[in-house]
Amino acid sequence: MFNIKERIIETWNRFFNNLKASSPSSNKGTIIALIITLLFFIIIEYSALLPINLRSFSFTLFLCICLIIFIVLKSFISLSFDNISKVCCVITLILGIYLGVGYIISSPIINASKYQSQLDMNTDADFYSDFENISYSSIPVVDRDSAERLGDRKMGEIVDYVSQFEVDSEYSQINYNDNPYRVTTISYSDLIKWFTNQSDGLPAYIRVNMVSQESEVVRLESGMKYSRSDLFFRNINRYLRVKYPTLMFEDPTFEINDDGDPYWIAPVFSYKIGLFGGEDITGAVLVNACSGESQYYDIDEVPSWVDRVYPAELLLTQLTNWGQYGNGYINSIISQKGVLTTTDGYNYLALNDDVYLYTGLTSVSSDESNVGFVLVNMRTKESNYYAISGAEEYSAMSSAEGKVQNLGYEATFPILINSGGQPTYFLSLKDSAGLVKQYAFVNVQNYQIVAVGESVATAESNYYQLLIDNGIEDVSYETASLTGTISTIQQVVVDGTSYYYFKLEDHDDIFIAAITLNDNLPFIQSGDRVSLDYSDSGTNSQNVLTLEVLSE
């Protein structure tokens, strides 16, 4: 590597020495060709924002193209192929060899084990200890599409903003004050709106609470001067490139710190395998969106309030490599023994004030079932594999949609939770207008166990009842207990199962008990005293989980 750099420096010195020794007519052609090439370089660099770094394959290739343009222009203008052109040809050849060799030595064909080990996967992770029983009051019910609708609707209520700004579609998921939120900036509507408003900057951003579904436009004392919609050197990508010309960046994401101040988080990456392979994040630049103040942090020094340093696409690539190359490259192509791949979708989980990427792992045979699932911390890249087999996510979505097929609702991509001590998919069910109407709990290991409800609490309570009805023991949940006298009771049949609806004296709630709870249910009458446990759904309909008839 160092020999290549020294050779390049030496050839450039020869270039300028030859330039001094050339004839006036040759110098004129050289200068014109150089000016045109520099203009081309500046225009492309301004537009493409390539890092000025020989470890960037794109930049090195672009440099080769610039040298070729210079050689062609100089030879055409000077009508000669002198020593300067020859030196440039040598440099171009060296860079071409550098690219070719770099591509080969970075290939997974000869580095499969290195690609496989980029994720330090904890394969002994315990789902039940890592996932506490989740309360319905903390389950995020809003997906990205719903958050976008809520944000757009809230933006429409701000009359003085609507004519000048629009909502950016990013809506990145973060944790804010220990609650899951989606946040996004507003942006300038068009070029004219930028010229008329850029002195004050963007006056607000939008955040949507993924649990309560509340959206708000957060007004700023000082407007954001750096964003995706800003022009020239206030565009956040161009601003980063000018301040850090040699760093290689992933796309910056919008976040807010614990005080609600807006920031851009720009992950910095380098290649860990060969010259151009094994991309990994090595740090991040944090840019205050209002003041433009920026600071670089190594990956292990990134502030804890930052939630998203590792891009989802990069983590999915590394997950694919981890599952694919465990037994070498040839095995991943031919016999494919033990080869795993990620499922088609992914989602985010909020755990311990961090954001985790969640996805299932399935065999390459695509048998519509997962062999386990993975959580990866998007700030630290801590990775846990949970060997719990069950339905893959789209099967669970279809099962939930089948439960409400008469209503035509569509399921959102699920998130994974521990509900009742069971690995469970939680989904929202939306109507054709994209509005959330119901919620569903689907058991991971038996996706035929599906509970729905018009509130999360009701769906959760129904789910607990279904677990008990299906003979699943050790269902863990918080219950309320009650002893009382039955005032009225009625039997109904739902999907072939008998349920008993009853009320207790001095209580307004309706209690629902399945026949499987107690063999004496068919003989219970008004005036009988019972003791029961139920899961409080927050409504006036409660699912009974245990029931005992008390003797007089």
Side-chain angles (χ1 to χ4, degrees):
M1 183 67 185
F2 292 105
N3 291 334
I4 294 175
K5 289 183 177 179
E6 292 174 0
R7 185 64 181 273
I8 292 174
I9 293 172
E10 180 182 348
T11 51
W12 273 112
N13 289 334
R14 290 179 183 175
F15 173 85
F16 287 109
N17 289 333
N18 288 332
L19 182 62
K20 294 177 182 178
S22 300
S23 63
S25 60
S26 177
N27 285 345
K28 182 179 179 181
T30 302
I31 292 172
I32 293 174
L34 186 60
I35 291 173
I36 294 174
T37 305
L38 285 175
L39 287 174
F40 174 77
F41 178 90
I42 292 170
I43 292 171
I44 298 301
E45 180 62 29
Y46 180 86
S47 303
L49 303 176
L50 300 173
I52 304 176
N53 189 328
L54 289 178
R55 289 298 300 276
S56 167
F57 189 94
S58 299
F59 174 77
T60 307
L61 180 61
F62 173 59
L63 190 59
C64 289
I65 293 172
C66 289
L67 287 170
I68 292 171
I69 291 174
F70 173 78
I71 294 168
V72 172
L73 287 174
K74 184 184 182 307
S75 300
F76 179 78
I77 295 172
S78 302
L79 298 177
S80 64
F81 191 78
D82 57 14
N83 289 334
I84 295 176
S85 298
K86 294 177 181 178
V87 169
C88 289
C89 282
V90 172
I91 296 173
T92 305
L93 180 61
I94 292 173
L95 291 177
I97 295 172
Y98 170 75
L99 289 174
V101 172
Y103 180 82
I104 293 172
I105 65 174
S106 306
S107 169
I109 297 176
I110 58 177
N111 295 288
S113 61
K114 293 181 180 179
Y115 278 96
Q116 197 272 341
S117 61
Q118 277 200 286
L119 273 181
D120 185 14
M121 187 70 70
N122 175 18
T123 56
D124 297 322
D126 180 44
F127 173 83
Y128 302 99
S129 62
D130 291 350
F131 284 72
E132 296 181 355
N133 244 15
I134 191 167
S135 168
Y136 69 83
S137 61
S138 62
I139 296 176
V141 301
V142 176
D143 64 355
R144 186 186 174 281
D145 290 338
S146 296
E148 188 171 353
R149 290 176 184 271
L150 292 170
D152 289 346
R153 185 183 306 165
K154 193 67 177 180
M155 182 70 173
E157 298 174 4
I158 313 298
V159 178
D160 55 327
Y161 286 178
V162 173
S163 63
Q164 301 297 309
F165 308 101
E166 56 189 22
V167 183
D168 191 278
S169 61
E170 179 176 7
Y171 282 97
S172 56
Q173 182 172 331
I174 65 168
N175 275 352
Y176 175 63
N177 292 335
D178 293 332
N179 287 305
Y181 277 80
R182 284 192 178 267
V183 293
T184 190
T185 64
I186 61 176
S187 57
Y188 300 101
S189 297
D190 53 45
L191 179 62
I192 296 175
K193 300 300 189 299
W194 182 81
F195 276 109
T196 56
N197 292 284
Q198 56 87 21
S199 59
D200 296 324
L202 297 170
Y205 64 84
I206 293 174
R207 64 187 179 207
V208 180
N209 188 309
M210 298 178 67
V211 177
S212 67
Q213 304 188 52
E214 296 177 357
S215 60
E216 55 184 325
V217 176
V218 182
R219 297 175 183 261
L220 299 168
E221 294 182 3
S222 176
M224 291 184 285
K225 303 294 198 308
Y226 303 90
S227 71
R228 298 187 196 279
S229 64
D230 270 284
L231 303 179
F232 308 116
F233 293 100
R234 274 179 36 180
N235 177 278
I236 183 60
N237 292 293
R238 190 164 291 113
Y239 180 75
L240 286 164
R241 176 54 59 226
V242 171
K243 292 205 70 174
Y244 304 92
T246 62
L247 293 183
M248 295 183 287
F249 289 108
E250 285 285 357
D251 288 337
T253 57
F254 181 74
E255 291 196 34
I256 56 177
N257 65 9
D258 293 336
D259 296 322
D261 300 323
Y263 276 82
W264 290 100
I265 314 301
V268 176
F269 71 88
S270 64
Y271 295 108
K272 299 295 186 179
I273 302 174
L275 293 175
F276 308 116
E279 178 184 333
D280 210 354
I281 303 301
T282 55
V285 173
L286 276 59
V287 181
N288 186 300
C290 297
S291 66
E293 295 179 2
S294 65
Q295 185 171 349
Y296 171 81
Y297 295 89
D298 287 330
I299 189 61
D300 56 350
E301 297 176 351
V302 173
S304 59
W305 62 263
V306 176
D307 292 314
R308 303 169 66 97
V309 180
Y310 287 88
E313 292 75 13
L314 175 61
L315 293 179
L316 290 172
T317 297
Q318 293 189 356
L319 275 171
T320 299
N321 293 338
W322 179 81
Q324 188 173 5
Y325 298 132
N327 293 314
Y329 182 83
I330 295 177
N331 176 77
S332 70
I333 301 298
I334 302 177
S335 62
Q336 297 186 322
K337 181 180 179 180
V339 174
L340 302 176
T341 185
T342 58
T343 50
D344 291 336
Y346 63 93
N347 213 329
Y348 304 106
L349 294 179
L351 294 172
N352 305 319
D353 202 27
D354 275 323
V355 173
Y356 287 76
L357 180 140
Y358 152 78
T359 189
L361 288 178
T362 184
S363 64
V364 291
S365 60
S366 300
D367 56 1
E368 297 187 359
S369 64
N370 287 349
V371 298
F373 56 88
V374 174
L375 290 186
V376 185
N377 189 307
M378 300 190 73
R379 177 174 59 88
T380 65
K381 209 174 74 167
E382 174 191 355
S383 306
N384 291 326
Y385 171 72
Y386 301 93
I388 297 178
S389 59
E392 58 94 23
E393 294 83 353
Y394 284 97
S395 295
M397 292 167 65
S398 297
S399 185
E401 290 171 351
K403 195 74 173 178
V404 291
Q405 59 182 337
N406 59 311
L407 300 173
Y409 294 159
E410 292 186 0
T412 61
F413 193 85
I415 62 172
L416 185 73
I417 62 173
N418 178 356
S419 183
Q422 293 287 313
T424 304
Y425 290 127
F426 172 79
L427 315 89
S428 297
L429 295 165
K430 301 193 294 185
D431 62 14
S432 58
L435 300 177
V436 176
K437 293 297 185 181
Q438 291 190 13
Y439 307 93
F441 287 74
V442 182
N443 190 272
V444 170
Q445 295 171 310
N446 181 1
Y447 68 97
Q448 299 300 323
I449 301 178
V450 183
V452 300
E454 294 184 355
S455 70
V456 178
T458 301
E460 181 187 42
S461 180
N462 293 339
Y463 181 63
Y464 293 159
Q465 184 62 63
L466 277 176
L467 292 176
I468 295 172
D469 292 347
N470 281 270
I472 296 178
E473 300 178 354
D474 300 325
V475 179
S476 173
Y477 47 81
E478 294 183 3
T479 63
S481 299
L482 190 62
T483 299
T485 302
I486 292 179
S487 61
T488 181
I489 185 168
Q490 295 289 334
Q491 177 191 8
V492 297
V493 178
V494 179
D495 294 333
T497 301
S498 294
Y499 290 87
Y500 290 83
Y501 287 65
F502 60 88
K503 285 188 174 184
L504 299 178
E505 293 179 357
D506 302 323
H507 289 278
D508 294 328
D509 287 351
I510 299 172
F511 296 93
I512 307 169
I515 184 63
T516 54
L517 286 181
N518 193 304
D519 292 338
N520 290 319
L521 265 172
F523 308 105
I524 294 178
Q525 300 176 358
S526 299
D528 290 343
R529 286 183 60 78
V530 294
S531 176
L532 54 89
D533 294 329
Y534 65 94
S535 176
D536 190 350
S537 67
T539 68
N540 67 343
S541 296
Q542 312 294 354
N543 281 335
V544 178
L545 301 173
T546 64
L547 183 141
E548 180 183 0
V549 181
L550 302 177
S551 58
E552 295 294 338

